[in-house]
């Protein structure tokens, strides 16, 4: 099994755009020839667009891109820019009135980071597509939809740490699978290899990480504010395995194991955790093995997102705590 960059994933293009002062951005995954796709929404506070089309009983068989963005519900506007870009390139679902690009989307909440009046919009979505087509180097950490991401927010934003965006891919012979994930979780981020918290609720006075699950349990019978609700982690799994829409949906569901292994807690009432799956459907492979690898690449992408993040917007990053710079 070889670890690879997304540039080796034929049929897919991925790009970011962001606004540093706004503390927000967007990320797109494009598939010009269409991808058979699925989605699984696990969190209790999602913000999505066009996800109903991915239900196996519905008509459209392929999508042409996925848009992930910050900005809460305002960020759904970024997908209009993705549609405009794809329309210009004559990519979309054939209809009597012309081609209609199919672009499911999901958003996260980052309005308390940076300038809340600056949100992902049509122009930002379009620019992410331009960067994808120009094959701009795909950054991790503070980039794209992960620009304003944060983690560990049960005690509010002053105790939170920097989240971000990360990716991880593997290739086995002609088969490939990879994930790009935006980490903006209510819970802590756990290194599954060690079981240690690497980012989460951070006490600046003591210089120590706290434990979200312990804090939650201590609040079991208290009628208090359940915690800061600016959350939601998002992901896209890309592959070239042959599958149906129903199978794509199931593997999207299993992919959430990668979130559960690395985020504690995950899928809360305060998160809108959503994972999309996309495939060019070219290679035969055992789908149980594919599902296992899907969860694995999601897990690794989560860790990459947090470890590659930089301290900013008053949020300390995991790499700087390791260096004693928190």
């Amino acid at each position: 099994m070889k670890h690879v960059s997304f540039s080796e994933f034929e049929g897919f293009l991925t790009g970011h755009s962001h606004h540093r002062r706004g503390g927000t951005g967007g990320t797109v995954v494009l598939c010009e020839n269409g991808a058979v796709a699925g989605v699984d929404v696990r969190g209790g506070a999602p913000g999505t667009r066009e996800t109903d089309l991915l239900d196996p009983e519905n008509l459209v068989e392929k999508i042409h891109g996925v848009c992930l963005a910050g900005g809460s519900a305002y960020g759904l506007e970024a997908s209009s820019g993705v549609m405009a870009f794809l329309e210009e390139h004559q990519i979309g679902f054939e209809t009597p009135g012309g081609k209609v690009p199919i672009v499911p989307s999901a958003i996260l909440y980052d309005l308390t980071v940076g300038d809340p009046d600056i949100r992902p919009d049509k122009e930002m979505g379009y620019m992410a597509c331009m960067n994808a087509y120009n094959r701009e180097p795909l950054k991790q950490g503070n980039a794209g939809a992960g620009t304003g991401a944060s983690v560990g927010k049960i005690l509010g934003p002053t105790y939170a740490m920097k989240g971000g965006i990360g990716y991880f891919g593997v290739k086995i012979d002609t088969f490939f699978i990879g994930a790009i994930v935006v980490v903006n979780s209510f819970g802590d981020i756990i290194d599954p290899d060690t079981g240690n918290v690497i980012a989460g609720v951070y006490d600046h006075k003591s210089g120590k990480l706290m434990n979200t699950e312990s804090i939650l349990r201590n609040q079991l019978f208290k009628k208090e504010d359940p915690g800061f609700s600016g959350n939601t982690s998002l992901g896209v799994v890309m592959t070239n395995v042959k599958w149906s829409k129903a199978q794509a949906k199931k593997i999207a569901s299993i992919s959430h194991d990668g979130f559960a292994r690395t985020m504690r807690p995950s899928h809360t009432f305060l998160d809108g955790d959503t994972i999309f799956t996309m495939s060019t459907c070219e290679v035969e492979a055992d789908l149980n093995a594919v599902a296992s690898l899907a969860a694995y690449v999601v897990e690794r992408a989560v860790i990459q997102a947090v470890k590659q993040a930089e301290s900013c917007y008053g949020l300390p990053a995991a790499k700087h705590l390791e260096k004693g710079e928190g």
Side-chain angles (χ1 to χ4, degrees), residues 195-206:
N196 295 331
V197 178
I198 59 173
V201 186
Y202 181 66
D203 185 341
H204 290 264
K205 291 183 179 179
S206 67

Side-chain angles (χ1 to χ4, degrees), residues 38 63 67 74 97 111 191 202 243-244:
I63 67 172
C67 180
Y74 295 109
L111 295 178
D191 185 336
Y202 181 66
W243 64 28
S244 65

